Amino acid sequence: MSKTHFFRFKNSVAFLALGVVAFAGLWSGCAKQTLPKAEQEAEARRLYERADLNVRKIGEGEYSYEYINFHYLKAMDNIDRILTAYPDTEYARKIKHGDLKLGGFGLDYFRETILTQLGDMKEATESAVNCAIYLHTLPEANRQEARGAMAMVLETLCRLVRSDEALIFPVLPEDSLFARETIVRVITRYLQKDISLSLVQGAEPQDQPVLAAAYGEGMAVGGLKLDDLNEWASRYPTPEKRVQLGILRGMIEREGNIYRDTFDKAKKKREEDALRVAREKGVEPAKPKEEPVRYDVFAYARENFGSSLPPGAAALLAGFKALQGQLDEALAMVNGGPESATVSVISNYYEHLALTEKLTGKEALHRRSELSADGVARSQLKLVELLAQNAKYAEADRLEAAGIAEFPSYHDQFIRSRMRGVFYSRTELFYLTAKTIPSLGIKDPAVCAEVLLDWYLSPNRLQKGSSWGADQIIFKYFSMKREGRPISRKLLKG
């Protein structure tokens, strides 16, 4: 640098420094006003009244939490300005002594609690997954439903290609393995196998078979060739053949989905519309390089488990038979096994009837099968979902109402089943409005989180208008007006 340029630079820095000092002086002069006493009192009063009016008039239920948050922060700024610029006024003294309120809230409570809650609420309305995260951590959430909602949150993050966020998502210590298993299963299906492979290989030895089974399941759903699946299972041998069971589960899911797709009118229409649009643009879809992988699930089971199938494998195969309409064989396979296997067979057989358009709503197999009350309720939940999925809404509504009356502990689950059927309809497209989910009679916020993500993850996801009901959902479950509301849902982790 030349001497001329150096001195110019040096002078510029000096002038900049002087400017900063001068500005600081002006600011310090503005902090405490030198107006006449009466004008200071008038301005302090004006600032307080504007702040109080904002809080009293802008409340929950009528305005978005983003809007409320903005105006409440401005209200607090007004209070802080009174203390900074007009500290000798009567209003400043009342603020310091705690004699003034904002919209009925004490100032300390407003600053430390209300504004913190509003920050959470605003964040919760920014996306469906954010909303679900907040709902499932509320103290009213049932533990099992909260666990299910957590799994759906992790699945959603992974499907949004945000697996890095899923991996650091805060969970309880007892849910750590379950969370990692969920992540591995999902990201393996969606072609992020390198990440899931590192999770399996980096796990503690006792956890590796669980994660390896989830990996094998995901790869089977994705259509990995049989030789590669067998090679993977050979790396993590266990006496109960946990990895082989995971692979079998994935194979059956893949084959079951292929079977279902042959009856899916909504999916066929989407594919036909996409093909028509492509051809109108002069684009002919590329043909696959090779045929999709198909599995003989019964042959795989015989090769890996022999003629005496373990209960888990028998239940999976029986469910697959029932889905294809082979009810008697399916029931024989699970005879003497756990009730959950029989419930699965009945539910899958009901799905077969739905796929073949034979479901009427008068089915009573679940009541003739000597199931416990819990088994009957779970079978009826599936029946409600399938009826709604086939647009048999009157029948679905009747069984939903009857189920709620007979099994009150399943109240929220019946509502969820009804809506899930609508979201996953095989016959009609569903449009969600801002009032759809908030208007449901769901009591447990974790179940509401599950319903929200049922919609978000469904292939028929459509909405009318610009909102999915974020502010209404939060107002219903996470309102500042609710007694015992935690200061911040983030503090629940502490």
Side-chain angles (χ1 to χ4, degrees), residues 56-69:
R56 282 192 292 110
K57 295 296 185 181
I58 301 174
E60 293 180 280
E62 300 178 60
Y63 300 89
S64 73
Y65 284 105
E66 181 177 13
Y67 188 83
I68 297 170
N69 186 62

Side-chain angles (χ1 to χ4, degrees), residues 298-357:
F298 296 98
Y300 180 83
R302 285 194 301 272
E303 291 170 8
N304 285 275
F305 302 106
S307 57
S308 180
L309 294 174
L316 289 169
L317 293 168
F320 186 52
K321 279 185 175 289
L323 179 65
Q324 297 174 309
Q326 302 170 43
L327 178 62
D328 292 339
E329 293 179 47
L331 288 173
M333 289 183 71
V334 297
N335 186 33
E339 182 181 78
S340 59
T342 303
V343 170
S344 176
V345 165
I346 292 171
S347 298
N348 281 19
Y349 181 67
Y350 284 166
E351 185 172 3
H352 168 76
L353 296 179
L355 291 171
T356 55
E357 300 184 356

Side-chain angles (χ1 to χ4, degrees), residues 195-493:
I195 300 173
S196 51
L197 183 61
S198 66
L199 288 174
V200 177
Q201 295 175 337
E204 295 294 325
Q206 68 272 17
D207 294 342
Q208 284 185 341
V210 175
L211 300 180
Y215 182 91
E217 179 183 338
M219 294 305 290
V221 172
L224 188 67
K225 292 183 178 179
L226 182 59
D227 289 345
D228 293 325
L229 289 171
N230 287 333
E231 191 277 329
W232 174 254
S234 68
R235 299 187 197 180
Y236 301 94
T238 62
E240 67 275 22
K241 297 190 175 181
R242 184 188 290 270
V243 179
Q244 287 88 339
L245 190 62
I247 290 171
L248 178 62
R249 184 178 294 107
M251 286 180 168
I252 289 174
E253 181 175 339
R254 180 178 176 82
E255 291 298 318
N257 287 338
I258 292 172
Y259 180 77
R260 292 181 181 97
D261 283 348
T262 61
F263 302 93
D264 194 331
K265 295 178 183 178
K267 183 173 183 178
K268 284 182 179 179
K269 187 177 186 307
R270 286 197 306 271
E271 292 174 348
E272 289 169 359
D273 290 346
L275 181 61
R276 175 178 51 77
V277 170
R279 284 176 173 167
E280 287 174 355
K281 294 179 178 179
V283 178
E284 194 66 29
K287 293 183 179 179
K289 295 180 180 179
E290 55 184 77
E291 289 298 313
V293 171
R294 299 295 302 271
Y295 299 117
D296 184 338
V297 297
F298 296 98
Y300 180 83
R302 285 194 301 272
E303 291 170 8
N304 285 275
F305 302 106
S307 57
S308 180
L309 294 174
L316 289 169
L317 293 168
F320 186 52
K321 279 185 175 289
L323 179 65
Q324 297 174 309
Q326 302 170 43
L327 178 62
D328 292 339
E329 293 179 47
L331 288 173
M333 289 183 71
V334 297
N335 186 33
E339 182 181 78
S340 59
T342 303
V343 170
S344 176
V345 165
I346 292 171
S347 298
N348 281 19
Y349 181 67
Y350 284 166
E351 185 172 3
H352 168 76
L353 296 179
L355 291 171
T356 55
E357 300 184 356
K358 297 176 183 177
L359 198 68
T360 66
K362 298 179 180 179
E363 288 73 21
L365 177 60
H366 58 296
R367 295 188 178 278
R368 300 196 307 263
S369 300
E370 299 182 355
L371 297 175
S372 67
D374 182 75
V376 173
R378 292 187 179 281
S379 300
Q380 191 156 322
L381 285 170
K382 189 64 177 179
L383 190 52
V384 169
E385 177 183 337
L386 293 168
L387 287 166
Q389 199 172 54
N390 277 29
K392 293 183 178 292
Y393 303 123
E395 294 85 349
D397 292 342
R398 178 179 61 80
L399 281 179
E400 177 193 358
I404 289 173
E406 185 177 0
F407 310 104
S409 63
Y410 283 87
H411 174 277
D412 289 354
Q413 286 76 11
F414 273 103
I415 297 174
R416 181 191 177 193
S417 290
R418 169 67 165 75
M419 291 309 301
R420 182 176 169 81
V422 172
F423 297 156
Y424 282 82
S425 173
R426 295 193 181 96
T427 61
E428 298 180 351
L429 294 178
F430 171 76
Y431 287 88
L432 181 124
T433 72
K435 295 181 179 179
T436 303
I437 294 177
S439 66
L440 298 175
I442 293 173
K443 301 174 183 177
D444 189 327
V447 178
C448 182
E450 292 175 303
V451 172
L452 179 60
L453 294 182
D454 280 336
W455 167 73
Y456 191 79
L457 295 174
S458 68
N460 297 337
R461 176 163 58 94
L462 297 168
Q463 69 183 58
K464 284 186 177 178
S466 59
S467 172
W468 42 266
D471 294 290
Q472 295 90 330
I473 292 172
I474 294 301
F475 180 51
K476 182 175 180 178
Y477 295 102
F478 194 38
S479 168
M480 294 182 291
K481 299 173 184 176
R482 291 175 71 88
E483 293 293 332
R485 177 59 54 240
I487 293 177
S488 170
R489 75 90 205 173
K490 296 170 186 173
L491 300 183
L492 293 175
K493 301 171 196 153

Side-chain angles (χ1 to χ4, degrees), residues 8-283:
R8 285 178 182 171
F9 174 77
K10 186 176 180 182
N11 289 337
S12 297
V13 172
F15 281 121
L16 179 62
L18 287 171
V20 170
V21 172
F23 180 77
L26 287 171
W27 177 257
S28 63
C30 292
K32 186 175 180 179
Q33 299 289 340
T34 56
L35 296 172
K37 180 69 174 175
E39 290 185 30
Q40 291 190 41
E41 291 288 354
E43 181 62 13
R45 177 179 178 177
R46 185 187 68 81
L47 287 169
Y48 168 72
E49 287 180 346
R50 179 184 294 176
D52 183 58
L53 182 65
N54 275 353
V55 177
R56 282 192 292 110
K57 295 296 185 181
I58 301 174
E60 293 180 280
E62 300 178 60
Y63 300 89
S64 73
Y65 284 105
E66 181 177 13
Y67 188 83
I68 297 170
N69 186 62
F70 173 81
H71 284 281
Y72 280 25
L73 286 173
K74 295 299 291 183
M76 199 70 248
D77 287 345
N78 279 8
I79 298 299
D80 290 338
R81 177 153 177 77
I82 293 171
L83 294 173
T84 303
Y86 309 106
D88 299 326
T89 62
E90 184 66 21
Y91 275 88
R93 284 192 289 274
K94 288 181 177 180
I95 291 170
K96 292 173 186 176
H97 293 152
D99 296 334
L100 293 179
K101 294 183 176 182
L102 284 179
F105 300 111
L107 289 177
D108 287 343
Y109 182 80
F110 184 83
R111 185 193 300 274
E112 297 169 8
T113 301
I114 296 299
L115 291 182
T116 306
Q117 287 180 346
L118 271 177
D120 280 358
M121 291 169 172
K122 174 180 173 292
E123 184 179 324
T125 61
E126 291 172 357
S127 70
V129 68
N130 277 10
C131 189
I133 288 170
Y134 278 76
L135 290 173
H136 96 283
T137 57
L138 292 178
E140 300 91 344
N142 172 271
R143 171 74 178 107
Q144 281 305 111
E145 296 297 346
R147 200 168 188 254
M150 177 199 72
M152 293 188 73
V153 167
L154 295 174
E155 177 180 353
T156 305
L157 290 173
C158 291
R159 287 172 61 172
L160 291 172
V161 198
R162 293 164 58 185
S163 53
D164 53 338
E165 294 176 53
L167 289 169
I168 60 173
F169 190 82
V171 299
L172 297 171
E174 58 267 31
D175 289 335
S176 174
L177 181 58
F178 172 70
R180 285 178 288 147
E181 182 184 10
T182 300
I183 293 169
V184 168
R185 183 182 293 112
V186 174
I187 62 179
T188 305
R189 296 178 188 211
Y190 293 94
L191 304 177
Q192 301 177 58
K193 62 181 182 179
D194 291 342
I195 300 173
S196 51
L197 183 61
S198 66
L199 288 174
V200 177
Q201 295 175 337
E204 295 294 325
Q206 68 272 17
D207 294 342
Q208 284 185 341
V210 175
L211 300 180
Y215 182 91
E217 179 183 338
M219 294 305 290
V221 172
L224 188 67
K225 292 183 178 179
L226 182 59
D227 289 345
D228 293 325
L229 289 171
N230 287 333
E231 191 277 329
W232 174 254
S234 68
R235 299 187 197 180
Y236 301 94
T238 62
E240 67 275 22
K241 297 190 175 181
R242 184 188 290 270
V243 179
Q244 287 88 339
L245 190 62
I247 290 171
L248 178 62
R249 184 178 294 107
M251 286 180 168
I252 289 174
E253 181 175 339
R254 180 178 176 82
E255 291 298 318
N257 287 338
I258 292 172
Y259 180 77
R260 292 181 181 97
D261 283 348
T262 61
F263 302 93
D264 194 331
K265 295 178 183 178
K267 183 173 183 178
K268 284 182 179 179
K269 187 177 186 307
R270 286 197 306 271
E271 292 174 348
E272 289 169 359
D273 290 346
L275 181 61
R276 175 178 51 77
V277 170
R279 284 176 173 167
E280 287 174 355
K281 294 179 178 179
V283 178

